[in-house]
Amino acid sequence: MTARRAGRQLHGGKVTYAVLILFTAGSLFPLLWTAVAASRNNTRLAQTPPPFWFGGNLLKNLGTAWTDANMGTALLNTTVVATTVAAGTVVFSTVAGFAFAKLRFRAKRLLLLLVIGTMMVPPQLGVVPLFMTIAELEWTDHLQAVILPTLVSAFGVFFMRQYLLRALPTELIEAARTDGANSWRVVWHVVFPAARPAMAVLGLLTFVQAWNDFFWPIIALTQNGSPTVQVALTGLGRGFIPDQSVIMAGALLGTLPLLIAFVLFGKQIVGGIMQGAVKG
Amino acid sequence: MAGRTPRPASSAAAPAPDPAANGSPGRTGAASGLGRTGGTDSLAADRARARRSRRYRRDLRWSPYAFIAPFFLFFAAFGLFPLLYTGWAALHRVELTAPTDMEWAGLRNFTRLLGDDFFWNALGNTFVIGVISTVPQLLMALGMAHLLNYRLRGSTFFRVALLTPYATSVAAATLVFVLIFGRDYGLVNWLLSTIGVDGVDWENGSWSAKLAVSTIVIWRWTGYNALIYLAAMQAIPHDLYESAALDGASRWQQFRYVTVPSLRPTILFTCVVSTIGAMQLFGEPLLFSGSAGATGGADHQYQTLGLYLYEQGWVNLHLGRASAIAWTMFLILLVVAAVNALIARRLRRGD
């Protein structure tokens, strides 16, 4: 077994490791340096050479960023938005993906093509009417303004369809139907359990995306209303002399939750992106 | 009353017996309920069966639509309608201050765009930044994927680490890079000075600013694309490599003549996705300037279309003109999609 696998796949040599380590360092360095800069003060950042190791101001800067940019509220808002969007996307994508993978209905192929086609349309292009709509509804500065437009995703539908095609045996659905279950029961008792791994991955991916969303929130929400972290961050640099170390502390606060998620679920997130990509 | 008895599935906890076995002593809820009321057993059972099968057929027929309805409803409300309405708004004079007062303007918004230097500037910038961020990004991702495809110690670590920038928001990433590309005390200029090169005023130069903005994009997305390539690489049948090796192909030749051709659809896909991304580039140029905001630098040297749209709509308050920009972007994307489809077909025929 090992021999066969070793034969199938070449081991990486020293150069491979060297290059990979170099790129890994490049990937991680800006994040690490965010923390370094956040632990210094503005005066130190305005000197050469730049600091390469942590200073003692981290807590103080975090505190300032916390109060100046209202980070507590912002983090809470972002959590609400990202959680709702992730949950909605997962549920809607799973039921739609199930229908496309396993059910028969008219115009299925056409509708599926339509779903895939919508992936090509960047939501940004409809931003003017979307803004007019939420202004009309007086939703500006309310979180539903950023939640509702992103509650479904074509990628999610496609992703769940691909997963359920393989992971959900049709016999299982038929067996449930023979037992007298209607479609809704089939979804609840058969589809959801079978789809759980993919749902978790899609949820993570959507959460990351919703957390980092920038363009629409900055139009729909203001710093004085109920900003998300990303919107709040843009307000940090607005002073006469922007305090870079405080800005970095804010950036750190906004990134930290996702970094923790990456440490905990990195493998699943990686797997999800690779899974979603194959059929691209 | 009996007619409203729960559907067969109501005996959910214990698996319900096969509906086909209705006449047998182990009856479904509905049938036994009717039996107790004392009607003509077989007739009532027949009726119940008919009702059930009607309900069953109705369920089979309509529930698929119910399952896909949320997606299409939300997409129609927040995707399609705004897109079409943007086209309508683009033909009007609309101001942000009174978005409901629309005054017909015909194609004036579009013709004004064509004569607008800032529009062409933004279009050019979007194109340049798109190219200098996408091309190196995808090439590096391809190389990374190739390396990650070897058997490695700690391969999970490398994959996760390379993906971490993807978890960083545009805002956080841009703010760090602003500092790194600082003119006086930035890391990059300090590094340059150690090898005796004069500091570059990254933000105020035309090319240097575009380069810096591209660096942020490259940093955030290379690992993501590498994983997409890696997934496709792992799907390449290994016999291809073995026969190539038998034919005496070197590793580089294997990469060139086996890996890359097999990846063509994926490469095409990432090109399209990156093009769409580049077209929408917004957060990086917005935040790259400390203060200039939506102008994209003092000379608009890194103002992208996305940023120009934002400036027209939300700084200058001309929603009609912003809509015209949005629709122009949409048309450009359609052209890109068409070209892409053409290339894809050519490639398929080539195989």
Side-chain angles (χ1 to χ4, degrees):
Chain A
M1 176 67 196
T2 358
R4 213 179 88 220
R5 287 197 58 187
R8 286 165 57 93
Q9 224 180 347
L10 290 165
H11 279 275
K14 283 200 180 95
V15 182
T16 308
Y17 281 102
V19 177
L20 279 177
I21 288 171
L22 204 72
F23 267 81
T24 307
S27 290
L28 297 180
F29 178 75
L31 292 171
L32 185 71
W33 203 70
T34 306
V36 170
S39 71
R40 296 286 180 159
N41 61 37
N42 216 19
T43 333
R44 177 62 189 87
L45 288 180
Q47 284 168 19
T48 40
F52 285 101
W53 196 244
F54 298 94
N57 279 339
L58 185 62
L59 288 180
K60 181 173 154 275
N61 289 332
L62 287 175
T64 313
W66 187 272
T67 40
D68 278 11
N70 220 345
M71 270 293 179
T73 323
L75 280 168
L76 191 68
N77 286 336
T78 314
T79 311
V80 170
V81 169
T83 313
T84 321
V85 169
T89 303
V90 165
V91 171
F92 292 143
S93 299
T94 308
V95 290
F98 163 60
F100 280 120
K102 297 287 171 180
L103 300 180
R104 298 171 50 167
F105 53 97
R106 293 182 64 150
K108 179 163 133 177
R109 285 182 62 89
L110 181 78
L111 289 171
L112 183 63
L113 266 176
L114 216 68
V115 171
I116 297 169
T118 61
M119 279 200 257
M120 291 283 299
V121 182
Q124 211 185 68
L125 298 190
V127 74
V128 172
L130 209 50
F131 180 78
M132 288 156 87
T133 311
I134 66 152
E136 188 79 2
L137 294 167
E138 294 181 2
W139 281 1
T140 4
D141 265 339
H142 289 281
L143 292 184
Q144 66 262 36
V146 289
I147 291 173
L148 286 176
T150 42
L151 210 50
V152 296
S153 105
F155 167 78
V157 173
F158 191 66
F159 181 82
M160 292 311 301
R161 171 187 179 263
Q162 298 305 99
Y163 183 81
L164 288 172
L165 271 182
R166 272 178 295 121
L168 179 61
T170 312
E171 297 83 57
L172 212 60
I173 305 167
E174 275 161 9
R177 284 208 198 278
T178 327
D179 286 347
N182 64 17
S183 300
W184 300 96
R185 276 179 180 280
V186 170
V187 164
W188 188 254
H189 291 291
V190 180
V191 178
F192 280 170
R196 203 175 292 152
M199 286 167 91
V201 166
L202 180 63
L204 280 171
L205 291 178
T206 316
F207 188 89
V208 170
Q209 224 160 41
W211 186 282
N212 286 335
D213 202 8
F214 185 71
F215 181 76
W216 177 239
I218 207 168
I219 287 178
L221 307 174
T222 64
Q223 284 145 23
N224 306 323
S226 35
T228 59
V229 171
Q230 314 307 334
V231 179
L233 272 183
T234 62
L236 267 182
R238 295 275 159 91
F240 283 109
I241 307 162
D243 188 332
Q244 297 294 350
S245 59
V246 171
I247 296 178
M248 289 300 106
L252 193 65
L253 275 177
T255 318
L256 219 48
L258 288 191
L259 289 183
I260 293 170
F262 252 58
V263 171
L264 295 178
F265 305 110
K267 206 172 162 183
Q268 283 83 344
I269 298 177
V270 165
I273 286 177
M274 287 177 61
Q275 231 174 57
V278 180
K279 266 70 61 184
Chain B
M1 197 260 330
R4 299 267 172 270
T5 33
R7 274 155 280 177
S10 62
S11 33
D18 189 330
N22 250 343
S24 70
R27 298 167 155 163
T28 59
S32 57
L34 277 172
R36 239 177 283 123
T37 52
T40 343
D41 204 27
S42 70
L43 194 71
D46 270 355
R47 227 181 280 146
R49 205 177 303 143
R51 200 179 305 123
R52 236 184 344 261
S53 93
R54 230 179 302 133
R55 207 178 274 146
Y56 177 71
R57 256 175 299 152
R58 214 181 315 144
D59 175 40
L60 271 195
R61 175 141 189 215
W62 295 112
S63 58
Y65 296 107
F67 291 152
I68 59 172
F71 173 81
F72 283 101
L73 285 178
F74 274 98
F75 176 72
F78 297 109
L80 189 63
F81 161 73
L83 184 69
L84 297 177
Y85 199 80
T86 304
W88 182 241
L91 302 174
H92 290 80
R93 208 187 130 81
V94 203
E95 301 296 304
L96 184 71
T97 42
T100 41
D101 291 343
M102 292 174 61
E103 185 189 316
W104 179 258
L107 289 174
R108 209 181 317 141
N109 283 323
F110 288 98
T111 47
R112 276 187 69 147
L113 269 193
L114 295 182
D116 178 357
D117 287 344
F118 289 129
F119 168 73
W120 291 107
N121 170 60
L123 184 63
N125 287 346
T126 307
F127 179 77
V128 170
I129 296 177
V131 170
I132 62 177
S133 63
T134 305
V135 174
Q137 181 194 144
L138 294 184
L139 287 177
M140 284 197 300
L142 204 56
M144 283 295 98
H146 182 69
L147 296 184
L148 287 170
N149 203 19
Y150 286 124
R151 264 165 73 81
L152 296 166
R153 263 169 218 280
S155 62
T156 308
F157 166 75
F158 283 122
R159 290 176 196 184
V160 174
L162 287 172
L163 191 64
T164 336
Y166 162 83
T168 316
S169 70
V170 175
T174 309
L175 293 174
V176 187
F177 275 90
V178 166
L179 212 50
I180 290 177
F181 281 109
R183 188 191 60 190
D184 296 322
Y185 313 104
L187 256 170
V188 176
N189 277 352
W190 175 76
L191 273 178
L192 287 177
S193 75
T194 58
I195 55 167
V197 179
D198 277 347
V200 177
D201 187 354
W202 291 98
E203 205 222 308
N204 286 316
S206 171
W207 278 96
S208 58
K210 291 188 185 78
L211 211 62
V213 170
S214 302
T215 310
I216 309 172
V217 180
I218 293 171
W219 179 72
R220 281 187 71 218
W221 293 104
T222 302
Y224 179 87
N225 283 307
L227 288 183
I228 289 180
Y229 288 145
L230 178 61
M233 278 179 192
Q234 292 185 339
I236 301 175
H238 209 263
D239 331 357
L240 287 180
Y241 290 102
E242 269 159 24
S243 52
L246 281 180
D247 290 343
S250 69
R251 274 202 199 177
W252 167 250
Q253 284 169 325
Q254 291 179 21
F255 178 73
R256 172 75 187 76
Y257 295 106
V258 179
T259 311
V260 172
S262 312
L263 288 188
R264 267 194 306 213
T266 315
I267 293 175
L268 214 58
F269 167 74
T270 51
C271 285
V272 174
V273 172
S274 305
T275 310
I276 295 179
M279 194 65 152
Q280 303 189 72
L281 202 64
F282 170 75
E284 291 89 344
L286 177 74
L287 293 174
F288 187 63
S289 60
S291 54
T295 58
D299 284 331
H300 297 249
Q301 70 271 29
Y302 52 91
Q303 184 174 48
T304 56
L305 277 179
L307 203 51
Y308 188 50
L309 184 158
Y310 179 73
E311 189 192 23
Q312 284 296 327
W314 282 270
V315 179
N316 300 341
L317 313 180
H318 303 312
L319 286 183
R321 252 180 266 169
S323 304
I325 299 168
W327 251 73
T328 314
M329 286 166 77
F330 182 54
L331 292 180
I332 296 173
L333 278 181
L334 282 185
V335 172
V336 170
V339 169
N340 173 60
L342 219 67
I343 295 175
R345 190 185 302 165
R346 184 71 49 87
L347 282 180
R348 226 171 287 137
R349 218 183 289 145
D351 292 338

